[in-house]
Amino acid sequence: RRVHGDIIKKIKEEMMMEEEKSEIIIPGEEICKAESYMAGHGAYEEKGVIYASLAGTVQKADKLVYVKPFKARYHPESGDVVVGRIVAIESKRWKVDINAGHHASLLLTAINLPGGEQRRRSEEDKLHMRDFYSENELVSGEVQSINPFDGSANLHTRNLKYGKLMNGVLVNVQPHLIRRMKHHFVTFEDAVKLIIGTNGFIWIYYSPISITEETFVGRELQTEQESITEVRDIPILSRKMISRIRNSILALQMKGCPIYIDTIRAVFDASNKQKISTTDILKPASLVSFSKPIEECLSKEGHDMLMVESTTHHMEQSELFYYPQELSLIHI
């Protein structure tokens, strides 16, 4: 359905997204004439004119014009660290939900055997696949390759830092808010650690063993993996910290800000300093108070910040939105 020109103009003004490199467009808006371009993803042709079918930025590649959406499912790339949930067990493989358009595959030959044993997979292993990973269990892994036919990911958990996840809580955020970093396994404080999945799944867990990612070798790494997969009695202070970290991450998502260890810590520290309870972190008044510490955190890295009025989550206060230079985002 085409949108009236005046409405389009009003929406764009509300977005406050005047970009030089790429044009913001909404569904039904005219992109260009079909004489010079072919309609790609997020666009369609009608009576010699190409219109947008998605809200996003207009991208042109040679004779192809397409719309890059503001929000989309996770698109896996080789080397990505991901957190997923086992959804099915098939012949010699597990199907894993990684928040992408297709479930990922984890082959029996791509996992670590108990104790780090190195050997060929036997018929007995195939019959006891549920002893390794069962349905609904959470796992961490790495994208090994991308299927060229459907774009699905092939995972591996050969490194001992990957595997079954326990003793924590899963937080699901928009994948576009997660940046690809050098280290996705981080120690937040004491025994509370995070696995920041590139796919938008973040695992916050308790592990009393103090080992950094750089020391994930040999027996030390195996001990760390055992601490993740063993059920432990989590102290009340660690439980409270995990809950506060979770709400700090959700607060960043509600404000449309990038999520990585520095921004998480900025909201976490600000909530502690202002003596905001864990349950009040996600309230509108609290979200507004986090704008300054988040802006200070991002300004250290030269990011562009923009204060805009938003009705998201029925909030009347001004919210802080983030627009990285390489991609335009807006929380609608």
Side-chain angles (χ1 to χ4, degrees):
R1 181 179 297 178
R2 301 182 185 180
V3 185
H4 192 272
D6 293 338
I7 299 178
I8 295 175
K9 183 178 179 180
K10 183 178 179 180
I11 293 175
K12 285 190 174 183
E13 290 176 352
E14 290 176 352
M15 287 181 173
M16 299 181 67
M17 295 271 298
E18 295 296 334
E19 282 220 346
E20 298 179 358
K21 294 185 179 181
S22 52
E23 178 187 358
I24 303 300
I25 205 161
I26 63 176
E29 186 176 0
E30 179 181 333
I31 299 178
C32 62
K33 302 296 182 183
E35 300 173 354
S36 305
Y37 291 95
M38 291 172 40
H41 177 71
Y44 65 94
E45 180 184 346
E46 184 177 311
K47 297 181 180 179
V49 179
I50 296 178
Y51 298 94
S53 61
L54 296 173
T57 56
V58 177
Q59 306 289 329
K60 295 179 180 179
D62 295 329
K63 295 294 182 179
L64 180 71
V65 61
Y66 62 97
V67 178
K68 192 171 187 177
F70 293 124
K71 291 184 180 180
R73 278 188 170 272
Y74 165 64
H75 294 284
E77 296 183 11
S78 296
D80 283 353
V81 174
V82 297
V83 173
R85 185 182 296 276
I86 304 293
V87 294
I89 300 178
E90 300 177 356
S91 177
K92 302 180 184 180
R93 72 186 66 205
W94 292 266
K95 285 295 183 180
V96 187
D97 177 13
I98 59 169
N99 200 26
H102 300 275
H103 288 155
S105 296
L106 175 60
L107 296 178
L108 179 60
T109 56
I111 70 168
N112 254 322
L113 296 174
E117 185 179 0
Q118 300 293 327
R119 61 173 174 79
R120 294 175 63 92
R121 306 307 185 261
S122 64
E123 290 296 325
E124 186 177 354
D125 291 329
K126 299 175 186 177
L127 296 175
H128 295 86
M129 289 180 60
R130 282 185 174 83
D131 293 342
F132 302 116
Y133 303 121
S134 186
E135 292 90 339
N136 291 323
E137 289 184 338
L138 293 169
V139 296
S140 63
E142 182 178 319
V143 177
Q144 181 175 3
S145 62
I146 304 299
N147 190 317
F149 299 103
D150 60 6
S152 63
N154 297 314
L155 307 181
H156 81 84
T157 61
R158 293 192 187 94
N159 194 314
L160 285 172
K161 66 184 176 182
Y162 302 128
K164 188 185 301 184
L165 301 177
M166 300 180 71
N167 307 314
V169 62
L170 179 69
V171 186
N172 186 359
V173 299
Q174 293 291 334
H176 68 256
L177 297 177
I178 304 293
R179 60 163 56 177
R180 287 176 170 84
M181 302 172 289
K182 182 178 180 180
H183 302 299
H184 285 261
F185 289 74
V186 295
T187 298
F188 191 86
E189 191 171 324
D190 298 330
V192 177
K193 304 176 183 180
L194 289 82
I195 303 176
I196 305 176
T198 313
N199 58 328
F201 289 170
I202 302 175
W203 182 249
I204 313 170
Y205 66 100
Y206 171 79
S207 176
I209 300 175
S210 179
I211 299 178
T212 62
E213 190 171 25
E214 288 78 4
T215 60
F216 272 162
V217 292
R219 177 59 193 170
E220 290 181 332
L221 175 55
Q222 186 172 335
T223 305
E224 170 70 7
Q225 180 58 34
E226 289 173 354
S227 71
I228 297 177
T229 57
E230 292 178 355
V231 178
R232 293 181 177 273
D233 184 17
I234 304 177
I236 186 63
L237 291 178
S238 296
R239 290 174 182 266
K240 290 181 178 180
M241 181 178 295
I242 290 174
S243 298
R244 184 173 290 272
I245 294 172
R246 171 193 177 273
N247 283 1
S248 299
I249 293 172
L250 293 179
L252 287 168
Q253 176 177 237
M254 293 173 70
K255 297 180 74 63
C257 297
I259 299 172
Y260 58 102
I261 187 60
D262 291 339
T263 54
I264 296 172
R265 192 177 293 279
V267 175
F268 181 91
D269 292 342
S271 66
N272 271 330
K273 185 177 181 180
Q274 299 173 30
K275 297 182 179 180
I276 300 174
S277 66
T278 301
T279 55
D280 291 340
I281 289 178
L282 301 180
K283 290 185 177 180
S286 300
L287 292 174
V288 173
S289 68
F290 299 145
S291 296
K292 185 175 180 180
I294 294 174
E295 184 175 4
E296 290 175 352
C297 177
L298 295 175
S299 63
K300 294 178 182 178
E301 301 186 11
H303 294 308
D304 297 326
M305 303 302 301
L306 180 63
M307 298 297 294
V308 300
E309 294 293 328
S310 173
T311 57
T312 305
H313 307 292
H314 306 287
M315 295 173 57
E316 296 181 357
Q317 293 87 345
S318 61
E319 286 197 73
L320 186 64
F321 282 79
Y322 163 70
Y323 303 113
Q325 297 176 353
E326 68 274 11
L327 178 63
S328 299
L329 306 172
I330 188 167
H331 196 75
I332 300 178

